[in-house]
Amino acid sequence: MVAEASAARPAASKHALFDLAGVSFRVPGRSIIESLDLRMEAGQIHGLIGPNGSGKSTLVKMLARQEVPASGRIHFCGEDIQSQGDRVFARRLAYLPQFMPSTDGMNVEEFVALGRFPWHGTFGRFTVVDRAKVAEAMDQTGVTPFRARLVDTLSGGERQRVWLALLLAQDTQCLVLDEPTSALDISHQTEMLDLVRNLARKRGLSVVVVLHDINMAARICDRLVAMGSGRIVADGTPADIMRADVLERIYGISMGLFTHPDSGIPVAFVR
């Protein structure tokens, strides 16, 4: 059954990836997220879905420590998220923002190598292990052939794979991705999300990803958390969420579904 926001919550567990209780976030004049309770288990791909302005990006920024809640608490891997040192946290979680900063004229290999910073620091020596992690990350994301090219000269899909390589080089167990396909065409969206799913399975990663396309989200995620007006309006497996009544509650429009003839996965469409 689809779970909705409720006062009843499971007991805290050391195995939880994230455990949020009463989390709120406000800006002057309005509340973005209000008293949110949420638990995410390790080893799964969690998709955050919902209309624009529902609080998805604000939530992932708090999970990635880019924003601090106005109230409530967030536990990450069983510890208060704000109590963890910066380098310890960066060795546990890698974050891909919605709007990516400039790459400052770096080539691909130099840029991916930045992912090793939490492990050697500003004045630490770049070791054989660091080089191996960078090479592995480039190989697994398919960017090794253009390792010497400037990142700024790459296509949008190639740049996204380079960013993913940087996150993999960081060698964390959790990826938090804010709309990683927003600037890509449908072919590159599919390529990027399939790559995320396959790498998550291969590396045993936990993933939290914000997605706008409900069909893409249902295709790659183990669990979908739907937000609306800063609250959780539905929470469950893709099969739980991909129902006409649930989708209408999430998006506020009438939607239908059909079963994909090859995969058997439900596909949603606007009526």
Side-chain angles (χ1 to χ4, degrees):
M1 296 297 291
V2 179
E4 299 186 45
S6 169
R9 306 180 64 256
S13 165
K14 65 180 181 180
H15 301 297
L17 178 68
F18 288 104
D19 193 17
L20 287 69
V23 170
S24 299
F25 186 85
R26 303 179 184 92
V27 296
R30 69 189 182 104
S31 174
I32 305 295
I33 290 178
E34 191 61 46
S35 193
L36 187 145
D37 295 339
L38 178 64
R39 179 186 171 90
M40 296 180 176
E41 300 296 339
Q44 294 187 340
I45 302 177
H46 302 80
L48 296 180
I49 61 171
N52 289 340
S54 59
K56 304 183 299 297
S57 289
T58 298
L59 174 57
V60 296
K61 286 177 182 177
M62 290 192 291
L63 298 183
R65 293 207 323 191
Q66 303 300 301
E67 299 283 7
V68 178
S71 62
R73 60 108 173 127
I74 301 176
H75 280 184
F76 173 57
C77 296
E79 301 174 21
D80 186 285
I81 197 168
Q82 298 300 330
S83 71
Q84 302 177 34
D86 290 343
R87 287 185 66 182
V88 170
F89 185 74
R91 291 178 179 184
R92 292 177 171 178
L93 183 146
Y95 170 60
L96 180 67
Q98 183 176 348
F99 302 105
M100 294 173 288
S102 169
T103 54
D104 292 328
M106 285 182 283
N107 68 31
V108 169
E109 187 167 17
E110 291 168 339
F111 184 69
V112 175
L114 294 178
R116 297 304 300 164
F117 181 80
W119 297 93
H120 61 68
T122 304
F123 301 108
R125 186 169 61 89
F126 202 78
T127 67
V128 172
V129 172
D130 293 320
R131 285 192 289 273
K133 292 292 184 181
V134 170
E136 179 185 42
M138 291 194 298
D139 180 61
Q140 291 184 342
T141 53
V143 302
T144 302
F146 38 89
R147 65 196 302 166
R149 286 181 56 186
L150 295 178
V151 178
D152 291 339
T153 68
L154 303 177
S155 70
E158 290 168 340
R159 282 198 302 271
Q160 289 294 77
R161 283 192 281 134
V162 169
W163 272 93
L164 183 57
L166 181 149
L167 302 189
L168 294 180
Q170 198 170 324
D171 201 23
T172 70
Q173 287 302 301
C174 178
L175 304 181
V176 175
L177 314 174
D178 191 357
E179 298 189 36
T181 61
S182 61
L184 304 180
D185 60 40
I186 191 168
S187 172
H188 286 101
Q189 287 180 36
T190 302
E191 178 187 79
M192 179 67 172
L193 293 177
D194 283 349
L195 182 58
V196 169
R197 178 185 58 191
N198 293 337
L199 288 171
R201 300 292 185 248
K202 182 175 182 178
R203 286 176 166 244
L205 300 174
S206 305
V207 179
V208 180
V209 55
V210 175
L211 293 169
H212 276 294
D213 189 321
I214 182 62
N215 292 316
M216 290 285 191
R219 184 169 174 265
I220 73 153
C221 296
D222 302 305
R223 176 184 174 194
L224 298 176
V225 178
M227 297 188 66
S229 301
R231 299 178 184 275
I232 296 174
V233 296
D235 179 358
T237 66
D240 293 330
I241 302 299
M242 296 294 278
R243 296 177 2 212
D245 60 326
V246 177
L247 293 177
E248 183 169 359
R249 173 151 50 88
I250 295 169
Y251 295 105
I253 57 174
S254 179
M255 300 184 71
L257 295 108
F258 65 89
T259 301
H260 192 285
D262 295 327
S263 67
I265 296 172
V267 177
F269 62 92
V270 177
R271 290 187 183 277

